[in-house]
Amino acid sequence: IPVSTLFRFAYLRLSFVSDHFLYLSMVGIAVCMAVAADAVWRRVSGVVRYVWGAVVVAYLVFLTYQTVGYVKVWENSETLWSHCIQYNPENWMSHNYLGHALLDSGRLSDAAKSFKKTIDLKERYVHEHLSRARDLAMSGNLRRAEREQAKAEDVKRSLAMAFHNLGNAYLYAAMTLEAKEQYEKAVHLSANSPNLVKYLTNLGVAC
């Protein structure tokens, strides 16, 4: 029940389903279905019994086909996050993870595109939170306005890492001027961040 998507939790930011959290609990459901299928098999006879057996076998074949197809999604990080983006294109985390996968495989141009998309989405979220905070403040709901403002600040802080990742893609592609620009943006947003040393170090490399 906790992972049936009726309750909000962090993973739902990546996917609208929580499939791999349901694997263990699905064993119980599978056992119940098997017991029910066996009970029907024992109660019927003749042609109906053969039809029922054929239905069960066809269902198992269908599940096998679905499993084989879904295994391809988990072939590597690139296929996994591309699949997530296909069904949830506005999720910045998926674009960010895809960017890292592409960076690791040496596809620097595609990695830069993924990191740019991450930045675009994060900046949009900052604007949306600030806009809601302003509307709530004007309506007198100061407590909720403060929460929206805090969410905007959280996304702003995470923007630094996104700029840093894009800088890495440019640096690996020997585009030092572009990398320097992105690292500077990361440093600007990281006055009190523990990652500031890393950002400054890479900025020094780019310079």
Side-chain angles (χ1 to χ4, degrees):
I1 291 176
V3 294
S4 63
T5 70
L6 295 177
F7 303 95
R8 299 293 299 174
F9 57 98
Y11 182 76
L12 295 184
R13 291 181 297 175
L14 292 177
S15 174
F16 295 125
V17 296
S18 50
D19 48 6
H20 68 289
F21 290 106
L22 290 170
Y23 291 159
L24 292 178
S25 57
M26 283 295 291
V27 173
I29 297 176
V31 170
C32 291
M33 292 178 64
V35 171
D38 181 66
V40 173
W41 173 267
R42 293 175 185 276
R43 287 171 180 259
V44 299
S45 60
V47 177
V48 176
R49 192 172 194 181
Y50 289 111
V51 171
W52 178 246
V55 168
V56 171
V57 171
Y59 180 63
L60 293 176
V61 170
F62 171 74
L63 291 181
T64 302
Y65 171 78
Q66 291 287 87
T67 300
V68 171
Y70 198 62
V71 163
K72 296 178 181 178
V73 173
W74 295 86
E75 183 176 347
N76 53 54
S77 295
E78 185 177 335
T79 57
L80 172 61
W81 296 115
S82 296
H83 176 79
C84 289
I85 291 171
Q86 180 181 352
Y87 290 95
N88 191 7
E90 299 301 301
N91 184 268
W92 66 264
M93 283 189 177
S94 297
H95 288 283
N96 184 58
Y97 288 134
L98 177 59
H100 284 294
L102 294 169
L103 199 62
D104 291 340
S105 64
R107 297 172 56 185
L108 305 180
S109 177
D110 292 334
K113 290 178 182 178
S114 291
F115 291 137
K116 284 180 181 179
K117 183 64 176 180
T118 302
I119 292 170
D120 290 342
L121 289 171
K122 285 193 174 193
E123 290 179 334
R124 185 195 308 173
Y125 294 151
V126 170
H127 175 75
E128 290 175 354
H129 286 306
L130 290 176
S131 178
R132 281 197 291 267
R134 183 172 57 251
D135 293 341
L136 288 166
M138 292 178 63
S139 66
N141 195 337
L142 299 181
R143 181 172 297 179
R144 287 190 60 191
E146 288 177 357
R147 286 203 294 266
E148 290 296 330
Q149 182 73 33
K151 289 179 182 178
E153 294 302 321
D154 287 341
V155 179
K156 278 185 179 179
R157 283 190 289 271
S158 67
L159 255 174
M161 181 60 75
F163 284 123
H164 173 260
N165 292 337
L166 180 56
N168 286 343
Y170 284 142
L171 187 63
Y172 295 158
M175 300 169 63
T176 54
L177 291 178
E178 291 82 354
K180 178 184 175 182
E181 180 183 357
Q182 300 307 316
Y183 290 142
E184 287 175 343
K185 292 178 181 179
V187 170
H188 176 72
L189 293 172
S190 306
N192 300 313
S193 171
N195 292 319
L196 180 58
V197 173
K198 177 169 61 177
Y199 301 158
L200 288 170
T201 300
N202 286 343
L203 176 58
V205 172
C207 291

